[in-house]
Amino acid sequence: MALIKCKECGKEYSDFLDDCPNCDRAKYVQSSLYINQQLVPGEYLIYKCKIHWQIWILPIICSLVFGPIILGVFLLGERGGVFLCAFILFIIWLSAYIRYTGTDLAITNKRVICKFGFIWRKSYEIHLDKIEGVILEQSVLGRIFDCASVVIRGVGTSSAPVPYILDFREFKQKLMMECESYRK
C-alpha cells in the first residue's frame, strides 16, 4: 500500500481509496456524531463497521412466545398481566435497539474507535501502532449467520471486544492494512 498525493488539496491518502477523504469526507464514509467528535485534525475515517442483524433474533423469538400469552391474558380480562408481558417484551426490544444503534466501530488513519451505549457509554480507542492483533470469535450462530465478535488486542492488557460484527473479514483486512501503512 502506498500514499498518493491529492491533486485538489495536496494531502496524502492511501492508494486503496477511490477518492481523497480530506476533500469530501461526507461522500466517503458516513460516521456517527460520536466518531466525528472524536476525530482530531488530520485524522479521517477509513472504515465503519455495522452490527449484524442477528441481534434481533432474541426479540423476535420473545415476541413469538409472548404474543400469544399477551393475547390470551387480554382475552381473560387480566389487564395487569397484559401490561406486565407487554412491558417485558418492550424492554427486550429496547435493549436490542440500544445495542444495535449505540454501537460504533471505526478505523481511522490513526486509531480504532469502539463505542457502546447511549446514556451509559463505554468506549475504547487504540492507536494503530499499539495494536498487537485481532481475535475473531465465532459461535455456532455466528458460523451459521456469518458474523463474529472481534477483539482488538492492544499493547499490554488492553483489549476492545465488539460482538456481532457484520463484515468482520473486511474489517480485519482493512485494520491490518492500515496498521501496516501507519508503521511505515
Side-chain angles (χ1 to χ4, degrees):
M1 178 160 63
L3 293 176
I4 302 171
K5 193 167 190 172
C6 179
K7 295 174 185 170
E8 293 180 28
C9 69
K11 294 182 179 178
E12 292 182 337
Y13 65 96
S14 177
D15 64 348
F16 76 78
L17 302 176
D18 295 329
D19 299 316
C20 176
N22 299 306
C23 294
D24 194 2
R25 191 175 297 164
K27 175 182 161 189
Y28 181 63
V29 178
Q30 295 294 323
S31 66
S32 70
L33 178 62
Y34 177 82
I35 291 174
N36 282 337
Q37 291 172 343
Q38 301 306 311
L39 298 178
V40 296
E43 185 176 26
Y44 57 87
L45 204 54
I46 300 293
Y47 186 74
K48 183 176 185 285
C49 279
K50 295 182 180 177
I51 301 296
H52 194 273
W53 59 264
Q54 177 187 354
I55 198 97
W56 299 107
I57 290 176
L58 179 64
I60 290 169
I61 290 172
C62 289
S63 294
L64 293 174
V65 170
F66 279 112
I69 293 172
I70 291 172
L71 181 61
V73 172
F74 179 74
L75 292 176
L76 291 174
E78 293 291 329
R79 302 279 188 243
V82 169
F83 176 75
L84 179 64
C85 289
F87 182 73
I88 291 170
L89 193 58
F90 172 76
I91 294 298
I92 291 168
W93 277 96
L94 182 64
S95 173
Y97 176 78
I98 288 172
R99 182 182 282 172
Y100 187 79
T101 57
T103 301
D104 288 323
L105 177 62
I107 302 171
T108 71
N109 62 326
K110 296 183 179 188
R111 59 191 163 151
V112 176
I113 302 172
C114 308
K115 188 266 300 183
F116 307 97
F118 283 126
I119 298 169
W120 174 82
R121 184 179 291 169
K122 186 175 189 177
S123 65
Y124 301 96
E125 296 180 12
I126 303 174
H127 289 270
L128 295 178
D129 62 341
K130 302 294 184 196
I131 293 176
E132 289 182 341
V134 178
I135 301 167
L136 298 175
E137 298 174 350
Q138 268 189 319
S139 64
V140 174
L141 283 177
R143 295 281 297 160
I144 292 169
F145 295 120
D146 197 35
C147 70
S149 294
V150 176
V151 180
I152 303 163
R153 302 279 306 164
V155 174
T157 59
S158 66
S159 66
V162 184
Y164 307 115
I165 298 297
L166 180 62
D167 297 323
F168 61 93
R169 290 178 195 94
E170 185 177 359
F171 170 79
K172 183 179 177 186
Q173 179 184 22
K174 292 201 186 279
L175 179 60
M176 292 297 112
M177 288 172 50
E178 209 50 43
C179 284
E180 286 299 316
S181 68
Y182 188 81
R183 290 180 179 139
K184 289 181 181 180

